[in-house]
C-alpha cells in the first residue's frame, strides 16, 4: 500500500472530500450562479471571422449553449487578448459551456485545452481560478483527461503553496478530484499525500465534506453520478483493506469523508440501491455490498 498505487487510492478519497465534489454537485444541482456572472453573446453574423471582437463580451449572462463556430471564436479571443477582464469573462463563458458533454469534445478538438491550461499560469488569481474551473468541467470527459494530466503537478504545487481556503486552492482541489475518480492518474498524486492531510486538518468547512454528500447515494440521482460515488466508496474500501482484512483499525474523525462513508447511513443507502432500475448501477452495488 506504500507505493504510488496505494497512495492513489488514498488521494481519490481525500480529494473528493477536500474538493467537496464540485463536479458532481454541478451535475445534480445545476451550475452555480457565481460561475455565470459574466458571459459572451454569440456573434450576430455567422460569416464573421475567427477574430471575435471584444464588444461581443457583455456584463450579462448568456444562457444558450455555444456552437462549435462560436466556441472557436471564444478560444481565439482567449488566446489573443491580454485584457484581464476579457480573459476572465471568456473563461467563465467557456467553463459554463464545458459543463455540456458535447462541448467538452468540441473544445478538445478545437485545441482549447492548452489554451485554457496556459491561463493557470496567470498572475491574476481570479483568472487562475476561472481557468481551473473550466479545466474541471472539461476533465469530466475521459479523453480530455489525457491532455489535462500534464497540468496536475503544477496544480498540486499551486494548491499547496497558496493561501489556505483560497478560491484558487478550492478550484485546484476540484480539478484534482475529477482527475482521480478513476485509477488512471491517481499515481501522480502520491508525493502530495502529506499536503492533502494538512489541508484536511487545517482547512475550513469549504475544504471538508458536508453530511449532505450522502444524498448523492439516493436512487433518484443520475446514473453517471451514482457510478462515480459508488466507485469512490469502492476505492476507499480497497485502500483500507489488504486481501480482505483491515490494514489498520482506524478511528475516523466525525465529519470526515471516511466517517461518513463508513457510517450506518451510507451503508443503508448503498444497500437500497440493489433495487435500482439501471443494471450497471445494480451490478456495481452487488460488488460492494459484501464488503460493507
Amino acid at each position: 500500500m506504500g507505493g504510488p498505487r496505494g497512495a492513489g487510492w488514498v488521494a481519490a478519497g481525500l480529494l473528493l472530500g477536500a474538493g467537496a465534489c464540485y463536479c458532481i454537485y454541478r451535475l445534480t444541482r445545476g451550475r452555480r450562479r457565481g460561475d455565470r456572472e459574466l458571459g459572451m453573446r454569440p456573434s450576430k453574423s455567422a460569416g464573421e471571422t475567427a477574430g471575435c471582437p471584444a464588444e461581443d463580451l457583455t456584463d450579462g449572462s448568456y444562457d444558450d449553449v455555444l456552437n462549435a463556430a462560436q466556441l472557436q471564436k471564444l478560444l481565439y479571443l482567449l488566446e489573443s487578448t491580454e485584457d484581464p477582464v476579457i480573459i476572465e469573462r471568456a473563461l467563465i463563458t467557456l467553463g459554463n459551456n464545458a459543463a455540456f458533454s458535447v462541448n467538452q469534445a468540441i473544445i478538445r478538438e478545437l485545441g482549447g485545452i492548452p489554451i485554457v491550461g496556459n491561463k493557470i499560469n496567470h498572475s491574476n488569481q481570479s483568472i487562475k481560478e476561472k481557468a481551473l474551473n473550466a479545466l474541471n468541467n472539461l476533465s469530466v470527459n475521459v479523453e480530455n483527461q489525457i491532455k489535462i494530466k500534464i497540468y496536475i503537478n503544477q496544480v498540486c504545487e499551486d494548491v499547496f503553496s497558496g493561501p489556505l481556503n483560497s478560491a484558487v486552492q478550492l478550484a485546484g482541489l476540484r480539478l484534482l478530484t475529477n482527475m482521480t475518480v478513476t485509477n488512471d492518474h491517481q499515481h501522480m498524486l502520491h508525493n502530495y499525500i502529506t499536503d492533502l492531510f494538512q489541508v484536511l486538518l487545517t482547512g475550513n468547512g469549504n475544504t471538508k465534506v458536508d453530511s449532505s454528500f450522502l444524498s448523492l447515494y439516493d436512487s433518484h440521482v443520475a446514473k453517471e453520478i451514482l457510478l462515480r460515488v459508488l466507485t469512490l466508496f469502492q476505492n476507499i474500501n480497497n485502500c483500507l483493506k489488504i486481501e480482505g482484512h483491515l490494514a489498520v483499525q482506524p478511528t475516523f474523525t466525525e465529519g470526515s469523508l471516511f466517517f461518513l462513508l463508513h457510517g450506518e447511513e451510507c451503508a443503508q443507502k448503498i444497500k437500497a440501491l440493489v433495487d435500482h432500475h439501471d443494471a450497471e448501477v445494480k451490478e456495481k452495488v452487488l460488488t460492494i455490498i459484501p464488503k460493507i
Side-chain angles (χ1 to χ4, degrees):
M1 291 298 294
R5 181 176 175 82
W9 289 120
V10 179
L14 288 174
L15 286 170
L16 270 161
C21 296
Y22 175 70
C23 179
I24 294 175
Y25 276 109
R26 285 289 296 269
L27 289 170
T28 56
R29 301 185 181 185
R31 287 164 292 179
R32 301 183 307 173
R33 183 181 182 87
D35 278 353
R36 295 188 62 81
E37 58 190 353
L38 298 169
M40 175 181 175
R41 299 284 185 189
S43 64
K44 296 180 180 179
S45 169
E48 289 182 350
T49 64
C52 182
E55 55 265 29
D56 280 350
L57 290 165
T58 71
D59 289 335
S61 63
Y62 184 72
D63 293 328
D64 292 340
V65 181
L66 300 184
N67 59 36
Q70 293 163 340
L71 287 170
Q72 186 173 31
K73 294 175 184 179
L74 184 63
L75 289 168
Y76 177 89
L77 175 63
L78 187 59
E79 190 174 29
S80 60
T81 186
E82 297 295 330
D83 188 324
V85 175
I86 295 177
I87 292 173
E88 185 172 356
R89 291 177 178 176
L91 284 169
I92 290 171
T93 303
L94 196 66
N96 288 340
N97 278 267
F100 300 94
S101 57
V102 62
N103 279 345
Q104 292 161 6
I106 290 173
I107 292 169
R108 179 187 70 249
E109 291 164 0
L110 290 173
I113 290 176
I115 294 174
V116 176
N118 286 340
K119 299 306 177 185
I120 68 174
N121 297 313
H122 206 282
S123 59
N124 184 307
Q125 295 299 293
S126 185
I127 288 176
K128 184 187 291 282
E129 176 204 357
K130 301 305 186 299
L132 289 167
N133 286 341
L135 287 177
N136 177 55
N137 282 350
L138 287 165
S139 70
V140 176
N141 182 295
V142 175
E143 290 185 58
N144 287 355
Q145 289 190 0
I146 297 172
K147 294 184 176 295
I148 294 173
K149 69 179 182 181
I150 66 172
Y151 304 108
I152 286 181
N153 286 338
Q154 182 182 342
V155 172
C156 286
E157 294 296 331
D158 289 343
V159 162
F160 301 122
S161 64
L164 185 65
N165 304 317
S166 67
V168 169
Q169 184 180 69
L170 293 174
L173 286 170
R174 291 164 188 148
L175 173 58
L176 295 175
T177 295
N178 270 352
M179 293 296 292
T180 53
V181 167
T182 63
N183 303 350
D184 296 339
H185 311 300
Q186 291 172 6
H187 66 281
M188 299 181 72
L189 299 181
H190 75 275
N191 288 331
Y192 300 97
I193 299 303
T194 301
D195 298 302
L196 283 167
F197 272 114
Q198 184 64 26
V199 170
L200 285 172
L201 287 171
T202 59
N204 64 18
N206 290 329
T207 59
K208 298 178 181 179
V209 63
D210 188 84
S211 59
S212 62
F213 174 79
L214 292 183
S215 66
L216 296 174
Y217 289 92
D218 292 342
S219 60
H220 63 79
V221 172
K223 168 189 172 180
E224 63 270 20
I225 298 167
L226 277 174
L227 290 173
R228 279 174 174 258
V229 292
L230 287 169
T231 299
L232 166 64
F233 182 92
Q234 197 172 35
N235 286 353
I236 291 179
N237 218 44
N238 288 340
C239 171
L240 294 175
K241 294 183 178 181
I242 300 177
E243 297 180 356
H245 300 286
L246 279 177
V248 291
Q249 294 291 337
T251 300
F252 301 124
T253 303
E254 186 172 357
S256 70
L257 178 67
F258 298 104
F259 183 88
L260 286 174
L261 292 183
H262 286 81
E264 183 60 27
E265 182 181 357
C266 184
Q268 292 303 319
K269 283 179 174 288
I270 291 177
K271 289 175 181 177
L273 291 174
V274 74
D275 297 319
H276 197 274
H277 61 84
D278 184 85
E280 194 172 354
V281 171
K282 184 181 294 187
E283 181 181 358
K284 173 73 78 173
V285 171
L286 289 173
T287 64
I288 292 174
I289 285 180
K291 302 176 183 178
I292 296 178

